[in-house]
Amino acid sequence: TKAWLKVKCTHRQEFVIVGWLPSDKKRGFKSLLLGVREGKGYRYAGKVGTGFDQALMDEIRDKLDALDRKTPTVEAPKAAVRGAKWVTPKLVAEVAFAEVTPDGVLRHSSFIGLREDKAAKDVVAETPAPLPDVEEAAAPATSIKVSSRDRVIFDKSDVTKGDLADYYVAVSGIMLPVAGNRPISLVRCPQGRSRACFFQKHDAGSFGDAVHKVPIREKDGSTEDYLYVDDAHGLVACVQMGTIEFHGWGSSNATLEKPDRLIFDLDPDEGLDFGDTKKAAEHLKNQLAELGLVSFPMLSGGKGVHVVVPLTPEAEWPAVKDFADRFARAMAGADPERFVATMAKAKRKGRIFIDWLRNQRGATA
């Protein structure tokens, strides 16, 4: 599955070169035999046969010839060192490897380089040290009092107003970088989600000092104060006033006319399932990547997904909106059985609407 990224954990350590195996090809050697200091002698630690180019192999081979000895440097399984050429333990190599077997032999090793700064007698087996215990960071404390904490917010669950406030405090560290310090519209449901709800984006002076305002020029030339928050106190103050959802502009207060993110909202027809939306999001990710744009998915509730592209705030709203429009229409034109770029419900049957309209001044997500 592409939902998980597999990353190999690679170890690195120094080892003493105790011998080498001849190659049946025209190269300096097949592999180097490795060891570590143990007691008064050396213990066999395996071999390494990759990570060399021809010039490096020739250089190492010259050094090995100068250290040639007749007797084995370490005790090792005969099958592993059959035909070995032994050397006096002077050279130290840094080696990358995947793991060490129970009997102390390397697996999937690769040569990194020679270490001239370390003596062979100082090379011992290294063991990973446990990480120190780190206390989980506590959620930020807030002085905002939440009344009616036991009021149930959603009829089909037991989530209360107090639970919601505590949740926003807990996630504030990851939420504020994308929702803070930008104009927001609030979905307020003072009596719960099943009762009357409404949007609010202008400051009416009822939220207290924890919720701030930023003046924004309107289309008619007038100026209105919009709401924004910049810390957990502001989030809780909004919940105290019945807020359930936070919808932010695509630009920050610092660059209001230059968006810092591009959003494509994938809205599937009722007959499609979430799996279809996930595949569509991945397809958009790949198409955007071909244009040099990195994106990530964000769940938007129900079966929809937002494909979000972080932007350097340089282009202004008209240019960003125009690009989003043309990209969505190009996607729909290339795969008309799968995508549509117009809002008309009649045209969405069995398809996914690529909603690009969030990429205009004043739109929120």
mmCIF file of all heavy atoms in Angstrom, residues 9 23 37 50 56-57 75 85 93 131 167 179 200 203 220 230 232 252 269-270 276 278 284 294 299 303 318 340:
data_model
loop_
_atom_site.group_PDB
_atom_site.id
_atom_site.type_symbol
_atom_site.label_atom_id
_atom_site.label_comp_id
_atom_site.label_asym_id
_atom_site.label_seq_id
_atom_site.Cartn_x
_atom_site.Cartn_y
_atom_site.Cartn_z
ATOM 1 N N CYS A 9 16.218 0.946 7.824
ATOM 2 C CA CYS A 9 17.054 1.462 8.905
ATOM 3 C C CYS A 9 18.470 0.933 8.687
ATOM 4 O O CYS A 9 18.709 -0.270 8.759
ATOM 5 C CB CYS A 9 16.511 1.012 10.258
ATOM 6 S SG CYS A 9 17.465 1.656 11.648
ATOM 7 N N SER A 23 39.025 -12.545 -6.115
ATOM 8 C CA SER A 23 37.923 -12.508 -7.070
ATOM 9 C C SER A 23 38.235 -13.393 -8.272
ATOM 10 O O SER A 23 39.388 -13.539 -8.669
ATOM 11 C CB SER A 23 37.693 -11.077 -7.543
ATOM 12 O OG SER A 23 36.721 -11.040 -8.561
ATOM 13 N N ARG A 37 37.721 -5.795 17.710
ATOM 14 C CA ARG A 37 38.580 -6.136 18.843
ATOM 15 C C ARG A 37 37.749 -6.810 19.925
ATOM 16 O O ARG A 37 36.670 -6.337 20.289
ATOM 17 C CB ARG A 37 39.217 -4.868 19.403
ATOM 18 C CG ARG A 37 40.238 -5.113 20.501
ATOM 19 C CD ARG A 37 41.551 -5.563 19.946
ATOM 20 N NE ARG A 37 42.555 -5.733 20.985
ATOM 21 C CZ ARG A 37 43.802 -6.111 20.751
ATOM 22 N NH1 ARG A 37 44.183 -6.367 19.507
ATOM 23 N NH2 ARG A 37 44.663 -6.251 21.731
ATOM 24 N N THR A 50 30.504 -4.782 -1.513
ATOM 25 C CA THR A 50 29.946 -3.729 -2.366
ATOM 26 C C THR A 50 30.367 -2.366 -1.838
ATOM 27 O O THR A 50 30.812 -2.236 -0.702
ATOM 28 C CB THR A 50 28.407 -3.792 -2.403
ATOM 29 O OG1 THR A 50 27.892 -3.573 -1.079
ATOM 30 C CG2 THR A 50 27.918 -5.133 -2.906
ATOM 31 N N LEU A 56 39.176 2.654 -6.265
ATOM 32 C CA LEU A 56 39.252 2.440 -4.823
ATOM 33 C C LEU A 56 39.676 1.011 -4.510
ATOM 34 O O LEU A 56 40.470 0.770 -3.594
ATOM 35 C CB LEU A 56 37.898 2.738 -4.184
ATOM 36 C CG LEU A 56 37.788 2.544 -2.670
ATOM 37 C CD1 LEU A 56 38.805 3.408 -1.933
ATOM 38 C CD2 LEU A 56 36.378 2.841 -2.187
ATOM 39 N N MET A 57 39.168 0.064 -5.289
ATOM 40 C CA MET A 57 39.532 -1.332 -5.072
ATOM 41 C C MET A 57 41.029 -1.552 -5.294
ATOM 42 O O MET A 57 41.699 -2.251 -4.511
ATOM 43 C CB MET A 57 38.704 -2.214 -6.006
ATOM 44 C CG MET A 57 38.811 -3.693 -5.707
ATOM 45 S SD MET A 57 37.634 -4.643 -6.674
ATOM 46 C CE MET A 57 36.119 -4.304 -5.809
ATOM 47 N N GLU A 75 39.385 -16.453 13.989
ATOM 48 C CA GLU A 75 38.710 -17.723 13.796
ATOM 49 C C GLU A 75 37.366 -17.454 13.128
ATOM 50 O O GLU A 75 36.622 -16.581 13.565
ATOM 51 C CB GLU A 75 38.498 -18.434 15.128
ATOM 52 C CG GLU A 75 39.785 -18.897 15.785
ATOM 53 C CD GLU A 75 39.514 -19.698 17.050
ATOM 54 O OE1 GLU A 75 38.319 -19.968 17.335
ATOM 55 O OE2 GLU A 75 40.473 -20.055 17.738
ATOM 56 N N LYS A 85 42.854 -14.583 1.990
ATOM 57 C CA LYS A 85 44.183 -14.020 2.142
ATOM 58 C C LYS A 85 44.155 -13.166 3.405
ATOM 59 O O LYS A 85 43.340 -12.244 3.529
ATOM 60 C CB LYS A 85 44.551 -13.153 0.940
ATOM 61 C CG LYS A 85 44.453 -13.869 -0.399
ATOM 62 C CD LYS A 85 45.481 -14.990 -0.525
ATOM 63 C CE LYS A 85 45.424 -15.608 -1.919
ATOM 64 N NZ LYS A 85 46.421 -16.698 -2.073
ATOM 65 N N ALA A 93 37.907 0.147 8.375
ATOM 66 C CA ALA A 93 36.909 0.525 7.365
ATOM 67 C C ALA A 93 35.602 0.922 8.038
ATOM 68 O O ALA A 93 35.205 0.330 9.046
ATOM 69 C CB ALA A 93 36.671 -0.643 6.411
ATOM 70 N N LEU A 131 17.333 5.164 23.906
ATOM 71 C CA LEU A 131 17.052 6.593 23.972
ATOM 72 C C LEU A 131 16.560 6.962 25.370
ATOM 73 O O LEU A 131 15.873 6.170 26.016
ATOM 74 C CB LEU A 131 15.992 6.972 22.941
ATOM 75 C CG LEU A 131 16.407 6.877 21.474
ATOM 76 C CD1 LEU A 131 15.192 7.119 20.582
ATOM 77 C CD2 LEU A 131 17.508 7.882 21.159
ATOM 78 N N TYR A 167 -10.272 18.852 22.848
ATOM 79 C CA TYR A 167 -9.682 18.322 21.617
ATOM 80 C C TYR A 167 -8.920 19.407 20.869
ATOM 81 O O TYR A 167 -7.772 19.209 20.433
ATOM 82 C CB TYR A 167 -10.773 17.732 20.724
ATOM 83 C CG TYR A 167 -10.281 17.371 19.341
ATOM 84 C CD1 TYR A 167 -9.527 16.216 19.133
ATOM 85 C CD2 TYR A 167 -10.553 18.199 18.256
ATOM 86 C CE1 TYR A 167 -9.061 15.888 17.871
ATOM 87 C CE2 TYR A 167 -10.089 17.875 16.988
ATOM 88 C CZ TYR A 167 -9.348 16.723 16.802
ATOM 89 O OH TYR A 167 -8.878 16.409 15.548
ATOM 90 N N ALA A 179 -4.248 26.872 10.412
ATOM 91 C CA ALA A 179 -5.495 27.600 10.659
ATOM 92 C C ALA A 179 -5.291 28.911 11.408
ATOM 93 O O ALA A 179 -6.194 29.740 11.442
ATOM 94 C CB ALA A 179 -6.471 26.723 11.450
ATOM 95 N N GLN A 200 -19.956 32.689 10.751
ATOM 96 C CA GLN A 200 -19.584 34.023 11.202
ATOM 97 C C GLN A 200 -18.141 34.289 10.832
ATOM 98 O O GLN A 200 -17.246 33.480 11.128
ATOM 99 C CB GLN A 200 -19.759 34.180 12.717
ATOM 100 C CG GLN A 200 -19.371 35.587 13.203
ATOM 101 C CD GLN A 200 -19.702 35.823 14.664
ATOM 102 O OE1 GLN A 200 -20.461 35.071 15.276
ATOM 103 N NE2 GLN A 200 -19.149 36.884 15.233
ATOM 104 N N ASP A 203 -15.930 40.252 13.139
ATOM 105 C CA ASP A 203 -15.843 40.420 14.591
ATOM 106 C C ASP A 203 -17.026 41.247 15.099
ATOM 107 O O ASP A 203 -17.272 42.355 14.632
ATOM 108 C CB ASP A 203 -14.529 41.117 14.947
ATOM 109 C CG ASP A 203 -14.397 41.352 16.435
ATOM 110 O OD1 ASP A 203 -14.924 40.522 17.207
ATOM 111 O OD2 ASP A 203 -13.784 42.365 16.828
ATOM 112 N N ASP A 220 -16.460 46.534 -2.266
ATOM 113 C CA ASP A 220 -17.010 47.874 -2.458
ATOM 114 C C ASP A 220 -16.086 48.976 -1.948
ATOM 115 O O ASP A 220 -16.447 50.157 -1.940
ATOM 116 C CB ASP A 220 -18.378 47.990 -1.788
ATOM 117 C CG ASP A 220 -18.296 47.774 -0.270
ATOM 118 O OD1 ASP A 220 -17.181 47.619 0.266
ATOM 119 O OD2 ASP A 220 -19.364 47.760 0.380
ATOM 120 N N ASP A 230 -4.543 32.892 17.076
ATOM 121 C CA ASP A 230 -3.115 32.581 16.959
ATOM 122 C C ASP A 230 -2.610 31.675 18.077
ATOM 123 O O ASP A 230 -1.412 31.430 18.184
ATOM 124 C CB ASP A 230 -2.284 33.868 16.897
ATOM 125 C CG ASP A 230 -2.461 34.757 18.134
ATOM 126 O OD1 ASP A 230 -3.152 34.326 19.085
ATOM 127 O OD2 ASP A 230 -1.908 35.875 18.144
ATOM 128 N N ALA A 232 -3.989 28.488 21.366
ATOM 129 C CA ALA A 232 -5.031 27.592 21.874
ATOM 130 C C ALA A 232 -6.119 28.354 22.619
ATOM 131 O O ALA A 232 -7.287 27.940 22.614
ATOM 132 C CB ALA A 232 -4.407 26.533 22.783
ATOM 133 N N SER A 252 -2.434 34.122 4.489
ATOM 134 C CA SER A 252 -2.244 34.515 5.889
ATOM 135 C C SER A 252 -2.449 36.018 6.042
ATOM 136 O O SER A 252 -2.509 36.767 5.065
ATOM 137 C CB SER A 252 -0.828 34.138 6.341
ATOM 138 O OG SER A 252 0.128 34.965 5.703
ATOM 139 N N ASP A 269 -19.665 12.033 -6.540
ATOM 140 C CA ASP A 269 -21.101 11.791 -6.683
ATOM 141 C C ASP A 269 -21.544 10.800 -5.605
ATOM 142 O O ASP A 269 -20.743 9.992 -5.104
ATOM 143 C CB ASP A 269 -21.377 11.226 -8.081
ATOM 144 C CG ASP A 269 -22.852 10.919 -8.280
ATOM 145 O OD1 ASP A 269 -23.672 11.833 -8.144
ATOM 146 O OD2 ASP A 269 -23.169 9.745 -8.555
ATOM 147 N N GLU A 270 -22.801 10.842 -5.248
ATOM 148 C CA GLU A 270 -23.313 9.995 -4.163
ATOM 149 C C GLU A 270 -23.118 8.511 -4.445
ATOM 150 O O GLU A 270 -23.030 7.703 -3.527
ATOM 151 C CB GLU A 270 -24.795 10.292 -3.935
ATOM 152 C CG GLU A 270 -25.064 11.691 -3.381
ATOM 153 C CD GLU A 270 -26.540 11.946 -3.154
ATOM 154 O OE1 GLU A 270 -27.340 11.033 -3.461
ATOM 155 O OE2 GLU A 270 -26.891 13.037 -2.678
ATOM 156 N N ASP A 276 -12.865 5.501 -4.298
ATOM 157 C CA ASP A 276 -12.760 6.240 -5.560
ATOM 158 C C ASP A 276 -12.130 7.612 -5.330
ATOM 159 O O ASP A 276 -11.315 8.079 -6.136
ATOM 160 C CB ASP A 276 -14.145 6.408 -6.194
ATOM 161 C CG ASP A 276 -14.792 5.077 -6.557
ATOM 162 O OD1 ASP A 276 -14.118 4.251 -7.186
ATOM 163 O OD2 ASP A 276 -15.964 4.861 -6.187
ATOM 164 N N LYS A 278 -10.071 8.481 -2.898
ATOM 165 C CA LYS A 278 -8.659 8.311 -2.557
ATOM 166 C C LYS A 278 -7.812 8.116 -3.810
ATOM 167 O O LYS A 278 -6.732 8.696 -3.940
ATOM 168 C CB LYS A 278 -8.472 7.130 -1.597
ATOM 169 C CG LYS A 278 -9.002 7.380 -0.205
ATOM 170 C CD LYS A 278 -8.500 6.337 0.781
ATOM 171 C CE LYS A 278 -8.996 4.949 0.447
ATOM 172 N NZ LYS A 278 -8.551 3.953 1.463
ATOM 173 N N LEU A 284 -4.365 13.149 -8.735
ATOM 174 C CA LEU A 284 -4.068 14.577 -8.745
ATOM 175 C C LEU A 284 -2.673 14.854 -8.197
ATOM 176 O O LEU A 284 -1.944 15.707 -8.718
ATOM 177 C CB LEU A 284 -5.116 15.347 -7.914
ATOM 178 C CG LEU A 284 -6.172 16.103 -8.731
ATOM 179 C CD1 LEU A 284 -7.101 15.108 -9.419
ATOM 180 C CD2 LEU A 284 -6.956 17.068 -7.857
ATOM 181 N N VAL A 294 4.348 19.975 -4.911
ATOM 182 C CA VAL A 294 4.170 18.966 -3.864
ATOM 183 C C VAL A 294 2.802 19.182 -3.228
ATOM 184 O O VAL A 294 2.393 20.312 -2.973
ATOM 185 C CB VAL A 294 5.278 19.076 -2.804
ATOM 186 C CG1 VAL A 294 5.033 18.091 -1.674
ATOM 187 C CG2 VAL A 294 6.637 18.839 -3.437
ATOM 188 N N LEU A 299 -8.512 15.392 4.904
ATOM 189 C CA LEU A 299 -9.901 14.967 4.935
ATOM 190 C C LEU A 299 -10.810 16.162 5.170
ATOM 191 O O LEU A 299 -10.505 17.050 5.959
ATOM 192 C CB LEU A 299 -10.117 13.929 6.027
ATOM 193 C CG LEU A 299 -9.346 12.616 5.872
ATOM 194 C CD1 LEU A 299 -9.651 11.690 7.036
ATOM 195 C CD2 LEU A 299 -9.684 11.944 4.556
ATOM 196 N N LYS A 303 -17.170 11.955 2.318
ATOM 197 C CA LYS A 303 -16.351 11.200 1.374
ATOM 198 C C LYS A 303 -15.398 12.090 0.587
ATOM 199 O O LYS A 303 -14.748 11.638 -0.345
ATOM 200 C CB LYS A 303 -17.256 10.438 0.398
ATOM 201 C CG LYS A 303 -18.128 9.374 1.059
ATOM 202 C CD LYS A 303 -18.866 8.537 0.033
ATOM 203 C CE LYS A 303 -19.887 9.346 -0.738
ATOM 204 N NZ LYS A 303 -20.672 8.508 -1.675
ATOM 205 N N PRO A 318 -5.800 36.473 -8.493
ATOM 206 C CA PRO A 318 -6.283 36.197 -9.861
ATOM 207 C C PRO A 318 -5.442 35.150 -10.585
ATOM 208 O O PRO A 318 -5.987 34.291 -11.293
ATOM 209 C CB PRO A 318 -6.188 37.569 -10.536
ATOM 210 C CG PRO A 318 -6.326 38.554 -9.417
ATOM 211 C CD PRO A 318 -5.604 37.919 -8.270
ATOM 212 N N VAL A 340 -15.208 16.010 -13.412
ATOM 213 C CA VAL A 340 -15.946 17.136 -13.970
ATOM 214 C C VAL A 340 -15.472 18.380 -13.233
ATOM 215 O O VAL A 340 -15.136 18.326 -12.051
ATOM 216 C CB VAL A 340 -17.468 16.939 -13.821
ATOM 217 C CG1 VAL A 340 -17.866 16.848 -12.362
ATOM 218 C CG2 VAL A 340 -18.230 18.030 -14.524
#
